[in-house]
Amino acid sequence: MLKMNHWAGRFAAAVLASACASQALAAFPDRPVKLVVPYTPGGAADQLSRVLAERLSKELLQTVVVENKPGANTMIAATQVARAQPDGYTLFLASNASMVLNPMLYQKIAYDAARDFRVLSVVAELPLVVVANNQVPVTTLAQFVSYAQARPGKLNYASVGIGNPLQLATELLKSRTGIDVAHIPYNGSAPALSSLMANDTQLMVDVISTSLPLVKENKIKALAVTTTERLAVLPDVPTVAESGFPGFRAATWFGVAVPQATPAPEAARLQQAVANVMRQPDFRERFQTLGLVIQAPRDQAETDAYVQEDRTRWGAVIQANHIKLD
């Protein structure tokens, strides 16, 4: 009888523990969730975060509040989230800058992206476009490559700074095409594009959202896009791969991450909510004009593989060009 009572007690305790765990999961989240955004209000990333937060609020049945925390090339916000309580109530609008590039570029950094974060989902890619000055007598990327190869060291390319994803993408393009063009860094997209229009520089790899208006106004010309498929906003512009350089791909991306120690049930709940938002057709369509390409949802293994592939790609570029930042 005592033995039966013992096992009955253990069974009851197990049932109670299971019930409590199920109740806790069902209750999550039971208070507002914070989405920390490492950019100033108004840009493409901020607009994405605000629409995402609004729709996540409906999925989670709790308010998701956006907190803009710009500075130090996303590292202030990333450090804050890395040190946050890992309970599922603090999300991070992650990007390849914060999760991939900064840890490889900067000598001193207060977080370890692989150790401190779990990227739950890659929500959107921001494609890049290869643009050229109108005076350069070419209309395709292949023609520009031939033109540059005949003038080694005599052409320049613009970027928005050393170690920026746009500079790294151009260096990747240089290595794949074998062209020798000099790097001229500028403090922002506006002066870089101005230099391109003035023919101080002849080439630039830029985010589609900033170059598109100038392409539409025929102030610069688009030679190729760096995605694996053509873009709806520039349907007549081929990809770099179509231009004779197969396998080329480069893009910046934005996703949702949480502190690595976030419990699996809460992480899974958040991941599912983000995936549900990404599947909404009007969510995808809303960002086409900004050049953002909403991704198909990936599971955790696929997301991990995507991020690791990005680290491998850009790590090789950074190492080959000996790029380090203080």
Side-chain angles (χ1 to χ4, degrees):
M1 181 64 70
L2 289 174
K3 189 173 183 179
M4 289 181 63
N5 287 341
H6 170 73
W7 286 110
R10 291 188 62 180
F11 177 75
V15 170
L16 180 61
S18 176
C20 289
S22 298
Q23 184 178 6
L25 180 58
F28 175 82
D30 61 3
R31 64 180 189 271
V33 175
K34 180 167 61 177
L35 174 60
V36 180
V37 178
Y39 304 100
T40 55
D46 179 68
Q47 292 180 53
L48 174 67
S49 69
R50 291 183 184 279
V51 178
L52 181 61
E54 177 187 349
R55 300 196 178 201
L56 282 177
S57 296
K58 296 176 182 178
E59 289 288 331
L60 297 171
L61 303 179
Q62 275 293 340
T63 302
V64 178
V65 180
V66 172
E67 179 182 296
N68 294 92
K69 200 81 173 180
N73 198 21
T74 77
M75 290 189 288
I76 291 175
T79 302
Q80 174 185 319
V81 177
R83 295 172 178 172
Q85 185 71 22
D87 54 11
Y89 287 92
T90 302
L91 312 180
F92 182 50
L93 188 76
S95 66
N96 60 338
S98 53
M99 296 292 102
V100 176
L101 302 180
N102 289 347
M104 293 188 286
L105 287 169
Y106 284 89
Q107 306 281 358
K108 297 179 181 179
I109 188 167
Y111 67 91
D112 183 311
R115 182 195 65 206
D116 296 335
F117 286 96
R118 180 189 306 180
V119 179
L120 298 179
S121 180
V122 175
V123 176
E125 286 188 347
L126 183 56
L128 309 178
V129 59
V130 183
V131 288
N133 173 267
N134 283 339
Q135 296 179 43
V136 180
V138 304
T139 57
T140 68
L141 178 60
Q143 290 173 355
F144 185 92
V145 169
S146 297
Y147 182 80
Q149 287 175 339
R151 298 160 179 81
K154 295 182 179 180
L155 303 179
N156 301 318
Y157 81 85
S159 86
V160 297
I162 297 173
N164 183 276
L166 305 183
Q167 189 229 345
L168 299 180
T170 314
E171 291 296 337
L172 180 62
L173 184 68
K174 285 173 57 179
S175 68
R176 289 296 307 274
T177 60
I179 60 176
D180 177 15
V181 292
H183 178 212
I184 310 295
Y186 291 87
N187 186 24
S189 292
L193 288 167
S194 293
S195 80
L196 187 69
M197 288 186 285
N199 203 26
D200 294 329
T201 56
Q202 290 71 48
L203 183 73
M204 183 175 177
V205 177
D206 192 23
V207 291
I208 190 76
S209 54
T210 56
S211 275
L212 185 60
L214 298 177
V215 172
K216 296 291 187 182
E217 295 168 10
N218 295 316
K219 293 182 177 179
I220 57 176
K221 49 190 167 186
L223 303 181
V225 293
T226 66
T227 45
T228 55
E229 298 179 355
R230 295 194 184 195
L231 300 176
V233 292
L234 285 173
D236 298 327
V237 177
T239 66
V240 173
E242 288 179 300
S243 302
F245 308 97
F248 187 95
R249 177 184 169 277
T252 59
W253 56 264
F254 302 106
V256 175
V258 293
Q260 183 66 256
T262 300
E266 282 79 356
R269 174 83 173 94
L270 294 166
Q271 191 175 55
Q272 185 60 57
V274 174
N276 290 345
V277 171
M278 292 167 65
R279 292 189 181 98
Q280 298 170 8
D282 62 326
F283 181 73
R284 178 181 301 271
E285 294 162 4
R286 181 164 185 163
F287 292 101
Q288 279 188 347
T289 55
L290 293 177
L292 284 169
V293 179
I294 303 301
Q295 302 293 285
R298 298 174 173 87
D299 62 26
Q300 190 62 62
E302 292 168 333
T303 299
D304 292 344
Y306 178 100
V307 175
Q308 184 54 50
E309 179 186 351
D310 216 40
R311 287 178 177 140
T312 301
R313 177 186 299 109
W314 299 120
V317 175
I318 291 167
Q319 186 174 12
N321 292 278
H322 310 288
I323 303 172
K324 282 293 180 184
L325 302 175
D326 294 329

